[in-house]
């Protein structure tokens, strides 16, 4: 099951559970995005068709950020003209959760919740052992530095 959607001047082939990066989207307060411009839908293997006007693809915003920097270099030969600029395009990462058309709904499986790991109590004991080891160690002795005087070179005689 997949659908072809259009957003930001580009077309994307999406399936439930996919994560795509689209042009920056303004999201509501709940972090959901809906794509109503659905170009094609495939309900099964080898079947593809143009959906009715009620087709809808929805997803959750995963992340928003900016792409890597692209350098834009303008140059005109023999005219002493050079210009260098950088550009970073903003993106929104969206996880597709549901594709709905013609009364059918295909949903993505739920992601497992992340469980916080309990903190270990052992680091407190480890700090005590390190402190005891530092107190037991004797300070290192400094070595005496011998200074050598540089021998002066004789200046060469000038020729007349």
């Amino acid at each position: 099951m997949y659908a072809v959607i259009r957003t930001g001047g580009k077309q994307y082939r999406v399936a439930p559970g996919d994560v795509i990066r689209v042009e920056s989207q303004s999201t509501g307060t709940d972090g959901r995005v809906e794509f109503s411009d659905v170009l094609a839908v495939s309900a099964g293997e080898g079947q593809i068709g143009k959906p009715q006007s009620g087709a809808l693809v929805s997803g959750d915003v995963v992340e928003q950020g900016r792409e890597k920097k692209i350098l834009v270099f303008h140059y005109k030969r023999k005219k002493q003209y050079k210009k260098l600029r950088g550009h970073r395009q903003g993106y929104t990462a969206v996880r597709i959760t549901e594709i709905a058309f013609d009364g059918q709904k295909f949903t993505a499986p739920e992601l497992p919740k992340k469980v916080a790991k309990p903190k270990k109590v052992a680091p407190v004991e480890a700090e005590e052992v390190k402190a005891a080891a530092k107190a037991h160690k004797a300070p290192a002795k400094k070595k005496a530095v011998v200074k050598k005087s540089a021998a002066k070179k004789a200046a060469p005689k000038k020729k007349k």
Side-chain angles (χ1 to χ4, degrees):
M1 165 64 209
Y2 68 90
V4 178
I5 61 172
R6 177 173 37 215
T7 179
K10 299 178 183 75
Q11 297 176 4
Y12 299 93
R13 180 186 185 270
V14 296
D18 287 352
V19 177
I20 59 172
R21 282 187 172 185
V22 296
E23 300 279 331
S24 290
Q25 299 274 327
S26 61
T27 59
T29 58
D30 58 352
R32 294 190 54 80
V33 178
E34 292 185 350
F35 303 103
S36 59
D37 194 3
V38 180
L39 303 176
V41 176
S42 171
E45 195 68 32
Q47 300 174 358
I48 190 163
K50 189 171 183 177
Q52 301 297 326
S53 62
L56 187 69
V57 176
S58 61
D60 294 329
V61 174
V62 176
E63 161 187 33
Q64 289 189 340
R66 296 176 78 190
E67 296 282 351
K68 290 172 33 177
K69 184 175 270 193
I70 299 170
L71 295 178
V72 181
F73 184 66
H74 295 276
Y75 173 74
K76 293 184 181 178
R77 62 190 184 101
K78 299 180 184 178
K79 303 298 178 194
Q80 305 300 314
Y81 176 78
K82 294 177 197 170
K83 184 165 48 169
L84 181 67
R85 294 191 57 191
H87 176 73
R88 292 181 71 192
Q89 184 68 37
Y91 71 87
T92 301
V94 178
R95 181 178 184 269
I96 304 299
T97 56
E98 182 179 78
I99 297 175
F101 69 99
D102 296 336
Q104 298 176 342
K105 286 187 178 181
F106 297 93
T107 59
E110 292 294 322
L111 292 175
K113 301 270 183 173
K114 292 185 179 180
V115 179
K117 295 181 182 178
K119 294 184 178 180
K120 296 180 182 177
V121 182
V124 175
E125 296 171 2
E127 290 177 13
E128 293 173 0
V129 173
K130 287 181 184 177
K134 285 183 180 179
H136 180 68
K137 195 174 185 180
K141 295 182 181 178
K142 294 184 179 180
K143 295 181 180 178
V145 179
V146 178
K147 293 186 179 179
K148 295 181 181 178
S149 59
K152 294 187 177 181
K153 295 182 181 179
K157 296 184 180 180
K158 294 182 181 180
K159 293 183 180 179
K160 290 188 182 180

